[in-house]
Amino acid sequence: MKEIFKDILAIDGVSGVLLFSRQGRVVFQEMVLPLSENPEQRDWKSLTTVIKNVTEADFIYENGRIYIRNSAAGHLLVLMELFTSVAMVRLSCDMIMPALNKQAHGSKGIRSFFKW
């Protein structure tokens, strides 16, 4: 899964990527800069409950930004510095969505050879 997120992590100013399941479990995490606390030790269920119907959100706070994107695989959080190019992050997320959705749905057997 790290290969899917390499382009996002390569964007200047991106601090890390977290992917949560719909139940609030950390499915994937990769940090460029270490966090003060291990994300797997936090209870993310309340956050995933609040953002379950959110397609896309961008939160700005004092020292940085959080970009949230909903996918079939779960909720994607991109942690970044305040002046990171959100357009680049959005574009990179658009490009990885098919891979995330494919991974979430798995193979459909012989049906995967045909487009419906």
Side-chain angles (χ1 to χ4, degrees), residues 15 27 67 75 83 103:
S15 304
V27 176
Y67 177 73
H75 307 286
F83 296 105
Q103 191 164 22

Side-chain angles (χ1 to χ4, degrees), residues 34-50:
L35 294 176
S36 59
E37 185 179 337
N38 185 355
E40 292 182 8
Q41 295 177 344
R42 298 209 41 123
D43 181 20
W44 296 98
K45 187 163 178 66
S46 58
L47 175 67
T48 56
T49 301
V50 170

Side-chain angles (χ1 to χ4, degrees), residues 102 106-116:
K102 181 179 177 182
S107 176
K108 297 179 183 177
I110 195 161
R111 288 181 34 199
S112 66
F113 290 109
F114 304 101
K115 287 194 175 193
W116 298 99

Side-chain angles (χ1 to χ4, degrees), residues 22-70:
R22 304 252 177 239
Q23 295 76 32
R25 186 178 51 86
V26 177
V27 176
F28 176 81
Q29 69 172 359
E30 183 70 30
M31 298 296 147
V32 175
L33 301 173
L35 294 176
S36 59
E37 185 179 337
N38 185 355
E40 292 182 8
Q41 295 177 344
R42 298 209 41 123
D43 181 20
W44 296 98
K45 187 163 178 66
S46 58
L47 175 67
T48 56
T49 301
V50 170
I51 64 172
K52 69 180 178 182
N53 294 325
V54 173
T55 304
E56 181 180 39
D58 182 21
F59 296 104
I60 300 172
Y61 57 97
E62 186 177 347
N63 297 320
R65 249 178 149 135
I66 298 174
Y67 177 73
I68 299 174
R69 183 76 173 261
N70 204 346

Side-chain angles (χ1 to χ4, degrees), residues 7 19-20 35 37 58 63 85 89 92 95 97-98 100 104 112:
D7 290 338
L19 180 64
F20 299 100
L35 294 176
E37 185 179 337
D58 182 21
N63 297 320
S85 172
V89 171
S92 295
M95 293 175 67
M97 281 302 136
L100 277 179
S112 66

